[in-house]
Amino acid sequence: MFIKNKRYRRGAQMVLPPALLTLGGCSNNGLYLLKPEGLISHTFYHYFILDVVIMLLIIVPTTLLTIWAMWRYRKGGKGSYDPTWSHSNAIEAIVWGIPLVTVGVLSYLSVKAIYDVNPYNPGVIAKAQKADGGDSVEVDVIATDWRWLFIYPQQHIASVYGGPIGQDKKWVSLS
């Protein structure tokens, strides 16, 4: 193996196989979450990826700084201990400022996403029509005791679906 130190070699032998096994789950065959269809799904997917990127902007530097601090301030490391140190405004600004800004940005994006996917908002429907380039189909739906009645006023067609429980359900076209 390419690692000469026995302790590090053993660590690599323990970490590498599970890490490679987890990469087997990175195929696109079964990940329906990452294959959105429709306007609302595409919008949710967009905000989902945006949230993941924002959280990675926090998680990756935090992990790297934690590893760096552990390495630097270990026994025999280059860090020095100062028992008289008590406060740092710069550290306070970072520790409180970054989470506050992150929560603010994520809150703004969440509210924007809620309004972007609201089906009762006429702008969403207009945006979907504009994106698809097609005309929308107007459908009036009426629920009766055992049936659904679908009326397509622009095409002058009505369809009945359903019947009592246990019967085969078939579409019947009325005109």
Side-chain angles (χ1 to χ4, degrees), residues 30-121:
L31 297 176
Y32 296 108
L33 176 68
L34 302 178
K35 293 180 184 176
E37 295 182 17
L39 176 72
I40 293 176
S41 298
H42 279 288
T43 306
F44 273 129
Y45 175 74
H46 170 73
Y47 285 108
F48 170 74
I49 295 298
L50 197 57
D51 288 346
V52 168
V53 168
I54 290 171
M55 295 312 293
L56 283 175
L57 288 174
I58 295 170
I59 292 169
V60 171
T62 303
T63 304
L64 293 175
L65 286 173
T66 302
I67 292 169
W68 172 79
M70 290 170 53
W71 185 261
R72 179 172 175 156
Y73 294 104
R74 74 188 193 283
K75 186 175 181 180
K78 295 181 181 176
S80 62
Y81 174 68
D82 183 12
T84 60
W85 184 85
S86 65
H87 185 74
S88 171
N89 287 332
I91 292 176
E92 287 288 328
I94 290 171
V95 167
W96 288 101
I98 291 175
L100 284 174
V101 169
T102 305
V103 168
V105 168
L106 289 175
S107 299
Y108 169 76
L109 291 174
S110 295
V111 170
K112 189 171 179 340
I114 288 169
Y115 284 110
D116 282 350
V117 298
N118 184 4
Y120 299 108
N121 182 1

